[in-house]
Amino acid sequence: MAATGSEQGSKAYYVTTPIYYVNDAPHLGHAYTTVAGDVLTRWHRQRGEKVWYLTGTDEHGQKIMRTAEANGVSPLEWCDKLVEEAWKPLWEHLDIKNDDFIRTTEKRHTERVREFVQDLYDKGEIYQGGYEGPYCVGCEEYKTYGELLEGEGEFAGQKLCPIHRAPVEMLQEENYFFKLSEYGPKLLEHYEQHPEFIQPESARNEVVNFVRQGLEDLSISRSTFDWGVKVPWDDKHVIYVWIDALLNYATAVGYGSDQERFERTFPADVHLVGKDILRFHAVIWPAMLMANGLPLPGKIAANGWLMVGGEKMSKSNLTGISPQQLTEHFGVDAYRWYFLRAIAFGQDGSFSWEDFSARYTSELANDYGNLASRVAAMVGKYFGGTLPEAKAAGEAEQAVVDGLAKAVDEADRRIGEELDFSGGIAAVFDFVKQVNGYLTEQAPWKVAKDESPEAQARLATILYTAAESLRACAVLLNPVMPETSGKLWDSLGAEPHLGPVSEQRVGDAARWGQLPVGATVTKGAVLFPRLEEQK
Ligand code: ME8
């Protein structure tokens, strides 16, 4: 049986996003998956692991070719422009720390794709045949008749793709075929032995049922257009865009060019995908790897769909809201936080401006931001901005220490292992609530009025406890909101003693007493400005 990522010792924790089609600019849906991958990889970096995070663009195929034609430029010119002017700038804007960005038009990719396909051909895994059937250019996929929808209105009398709700095209071509049908039993065995391979459970069930029904061989070349990687032994054909695209996960990490690097990185521990492209990743991709004797990925994790008007948000069906419009209003960090916090990963969810505003105000501004500013203000007011010693800790403080330990365990398990971002973030915000409750009960502003040494020791203890709690929150929320954590870190005066927040270990976050007595606490920038002040 092929080894999974986690079985290999010093291998990098390797996470990928889908490589996106560049027929248009990125929208909220693309950003959703990419932010999730960024949070996951930042989390693992803060566990002290070696990490590799890959994203990129899918640039061949009919969909891109037609878009470029409609815009009167060559496909490559179109892709160059979109990648440089829209895709890469958005990832930078959203603070995505990908280690590499692969484009399928790059030579490092195309040459290796040809080699991979040639290998399959040499192994007898590919044969020539003919095919006729409905094809959706939006999906770049042959469809079965059973899954098509009956068109209505402007599409009356036509058959529609169930995802794009647009008419399919009938294709008849001479193609090369991959013997996918032979891999059904091996795939089912793998799903059985690795129940974690497909996440969530509903996605796993869907794939298992699909494979149980029997797989058909897969057409892996196209011969009626030429925007793609040429089939090595027959240059009248280009390689089917999905075979080309899936191989990015291998070519980007040294497949066929840098064996040592390839072994250090491949296979992916997690392929993040939307559920629209689950089968390509959970069926075709592992079968391709099996056919070529390569190890299988650890997990295919499907995120649900961001919905609009009851349908999957897509390029032709947008909310009219771009990621940049939301970041302009709420800030980049709140944007990164919101979608992961509000939607259970794997489930569908609807974006709503009202929900975002409400959560921003209650959790970010009131709970978290206020806690940070109150604590800094009180250390300033009562101790001249120098963090005092906690000499009089008791039961109330122990409850906070225990609450933190619980939050760290839970967040690490949920985010780091289960990809339950919402649950993991909630664990940290429950702790924020606990610290707020602690401050309300201890009422340091009242204790401050008593000048006795006992009261002053209590006051110091309360403020130290709150500041040390914030130190841990900054560490735990850094993967989600790096800019905010940096600001809080500065305000706590932590860096001169502890180093940068991004270098703090998740596993060490609950170790109490790291913020040194005497640290310089300043009332820094407001972490989450009131929304009305922003526009
Ligand atoms: O499928 N909700 O590219 P693509 C959540 N090139 N996620 C969404 C979404 C939505 N409404 N819309 C898009 C392709 N996504 C291929 C991939 S990989 C070898 C090739 C996200 O530009 C989600 O991750 O259509 C989905 O799978 C991906 O964008 C599809 O991007």
Side-chain angles (χ1 to χ4, degrees), residues 19-21 27 29-30 33 58 274 276-277 303-306 313:
I19 49 169
Y20 304 106
Y21 289 126
H27 60 63
H30 303 116
T33 311
D58 190 354
D276 48 336
I277 57 172
N303 62 246
W305 283 344
L306 298 187
M313 188 186 293

Side-chain angles (χ1 to χ4, degrees), residues 333-334 368 474 477-478 481-489 527-528:
D333 274 9
Y368 187 34
L477 291 172
N478 185 59
M481 300 189 283
E483 197 188 329
T484 304
S485 283
K487 284 185 196 160
L488 180 52
W489 205 242
L527 297 187
F528 301 102

Side-chain angles (χ1 to χ4, degrees), residues 185-474:
K186 281 189 218 154
L187 287 167
L188 288 169
E189 190 187 319
H190 188 78
Y191 305 149
E192 179 82 16
Q193 289 179 354
H194 300 273
E196 73 294 345
F197 184 63
I198 304 169
Q199 185 180 316
E201 185 74 18
S202 54
R204 179 173 190 274
N205 293 341
E206 189 213 301
V207 169
V208 169
N209 289 337
F210 174 74
V211 176
R212 278 206 186 120
Q213 284 165 22
L215 296 174
E216 286 181 17
D217 288 347
L218 177 74
S219 159
I220 57 126
S221 73
R222 301 287 312 276
S223 55
T224 50
F225 66 94
D226 67 355
W227 179 235
V229 181
K230 288 207 183 328
V231 169
W233 62 88
D234 184 347
D235 66 10
K236 291 188 296 303
H237 290 248
V238 290
I239 294 166
Y240 174 41
V241 64
W242 267 102
I243 298 288
D244 167 357
L246 287 163
L247 282 167
N248 90 86
Y249 304 132
T251 60
V253 293
Y255 171 75
S257 66
D258 183 345
Q259 186 60 18
E260 197 246 333
R261 178 159 167 249
F262 185 64
E263 282 171 14
R264 263 190 283 127
T265 319
F266 196 85
D269 293 77
V270 181
H271 287 304
L272 291 173
V273 298
K275 64 180 181 177
D276 48 336
I277 57 172
L278 178 64
R279 284 184 199 170
F280 292 102
H281 287 81
V283 180
I284 296 174
W285 176 229
M288 285 164 65
L289 293 172
M290 284 173 176
N292 232 352
L294 292 169
L296 304 196
K299 190 193 288 293
I300 314 294
N303 62 246
W305 283 344
L306 298 187
M307 309 284 282
V308 50
E311 283 182 28
K312 173 180 172 260
M313 188 186 293
S314 68
K315 281 154 195 156
S316 52
N317 147 26
L318 286 171
T319 49
I321 300 167
S322 67
Q324 289 88 339
Q325 274 172 292
L326 290 181
T327 58
E328 205 177 298
H329 187 63
F330 294 100
V332 167
D333 274 9
Y335 177 94
R336 293 169 55 97
W337 169 87
Y338 171 72
F339 290 95
L340 295 177
R341 171 73 184 96
I343 302 167
F345 203 67
Q347 311 292 313
D348 294 345
S350 294
F351 162 75
S352 116
W353 197 275
E354 293 72 24
D355 184 53
F356 196 162
S357 302
R359 283 178 187 272
Y360 177 99
T361 300
S362 87
E363 292 192 34
L364 293 184
N366 293 351
D367 289 352
Y368 187 34
N370 254 348
L371 174 64
S373 68
R374 278 199 299 165
V375 171
M378 286 191 282
V379 174
K381 185 167 171 197
Y382 304 131
F383 295 96
T386 302
L387 191 66
E389 191 177 353
K391 278 193 184 149
E395 257 175 47
E397 285 68 37
Q398 190 56 46
V400 173
V401 174
D402 295 345
L404 173 60
K406 186 167 154 262
V408 172
D409 275 356
E410 186 150 342
D412 193 28
R413 176 172 52 81
R414 288 186 186 256
I415 298 177
E417 298 299 322
E418 298 169 1
L419 275 63
D420 172 7
F421 299 101
S422 171
I425 295 170
V428 183
F429 276 83
D430 284 349
F431 176 65
V432 169
K433 278 202 172 67
Q434 182 184 352
V435 179
N436 273 317
Y438 164 80
L439 277 187
T440 308
E441 270 170 33
Q442 301 303 319
W445 47 91
K446 285 190 195 151
V447 178
K449 290 185 182 141
D450 180 344
E451 285 174 9
S452 71
E454 294 76 22
Q456 289 303 305
R458 275 303 299 157
L459 179 63
T461 302
I462 298 163
L463 292 182
Y464 183 86
T465 303
E468 174 65 353
S469 300
L470 282 167
R471 188 266 316 151
C473 292

Side-chain angles (χ1 to χ4, degrees), residues 375 379 387-390 463-472 474-475 488-499 504 508-509 511-521:
V375 171
V379 174
L387 191 66
E389 191 177 353
L463 292 182
Y464 183 86
T465 303
E468 174 65 353
S469 300
L470 282 167
R471 188 266 316 151
V475 172
L488 180 52
W489 205 242
D490 283 349
S491 143
L492 293 170
E495 182 140 349
H497 309 278
L498 302 175
Q504 309 301 307
D508 200 30
R511 187 165 55 81
W512 195 257
Q514 294 183 47
L515 208 53
V517 170
T520 305
V521 177

Side-chain angles (χ1 to χ4, degrees), residues 118-132:
Q118 180 73 52
D119 276 354
L120 287 191
Y121 189 62
D122 295 343
K123 288 186 167 117
E125 295 282 346
I126 290 176
Y127 63 92
Q128 196 166 14
Y131 198 81
E132 183 180 353

Side-chain angles (χ1 to χ4, degrees), residues 63-240:
K63 173 145 114 171
I64 304 292
M65 194 185 78
R66 286 184 184 173
T67 309
E69 272 168 9
N71 285 277
V73 292
S74 75
L76 190 57
E77 279 169 335
W78 177 261
C79 295
D80 284 348
K81 186 174 159 61
L82 267 273
V83 167
E84 294 307 326
E85 293 177 10
W87 289 82
K88 285 184 173 172
L90 180 64
W91 300 154
E92 210 164 292
H93 176 63
L94 294 180
D95 228 343
I96 305 298
K97 288 276 174 285
N98 49 302
D99 295 289
D100 194 2
F101 186 104
I102 185 145
R103 300 180 52 181
T104 54
T105 46
E106 289 172 279
K107 218 169 162 190
R108 63 167 170 156
H109 174 74
T110 53
E111 300 209 334
R112 303 288 95 74
V113 168
R114 282 162 66 86
E115 285 165 18
F116 185 97
V117 172
Q118 180 73 52
D119 276 354
L120 287 191
Y121 189 62
D122 295 343
K123 288 186 167 117
E125 295 282 346
I126 290 176
Y127 63 92
Q128 196 166 14
Y131 198 81
E132 183 180 353
Y135 190 88
C136 170
V137 175
C139 293
E140 292 283 14
E141 184 183 20
Y142 278 109
K143 298 284 168 182
T144 58
Y145 289 99
E147 65 186 309
L148 300 181
L149 305 176
E150 283 299 334
E152 289 171 7
E154 60 170 321
F155 298 135
Q158 301 186 67
K159 300 280 185 193
L160 309 185
C161 161
I163 292 177
H164 290 88
R165 292 176 192 262
V168 291
E169 299 174 23
M170 284 304 294
L171 292 189
Q172 187 182 15
E173 275 187 71
E174 273 296 301
N175 292 149
Y176 288 98
F177 284 81
F178 167 51
K179 294 178 179 171
L180 180 64
S181 61
E182 292 182 0
Y183 287 89
K186 281 189 218 154
L187 287 167
L188 288 169
E189 190 187 319
H190 188 78
Y191 305 149
E192 179 82 16
Q193 289 179 354
H194 300 273
E196 73 294 345
F197 184 63
I198 304 169
Q199 185 180 316
E201 185 74 18
S202 54
R204 179 173 190 274
N205 293 341
E206 189 213 301
V207 169
V208 169
N209 289 337
F210 174 74
V211 176
R212 278 206 186 120
Q213 284 165 22
L215 296 174
E216 286 181 17
D217 288 347
L218 177 74
S219 159
I220 57 126
S221 73
R222 301 287 312 276
S223 55
T224 50
F225 66 94
D226 67 355
W227 179 235
V229 181
K230 288 207 183 328
V231 169
W233 62 88
D234 184 347
D235 66 10
K236 291 188 296 303
H237 290 248
V238 290
I239 294 166
Y240 174 41

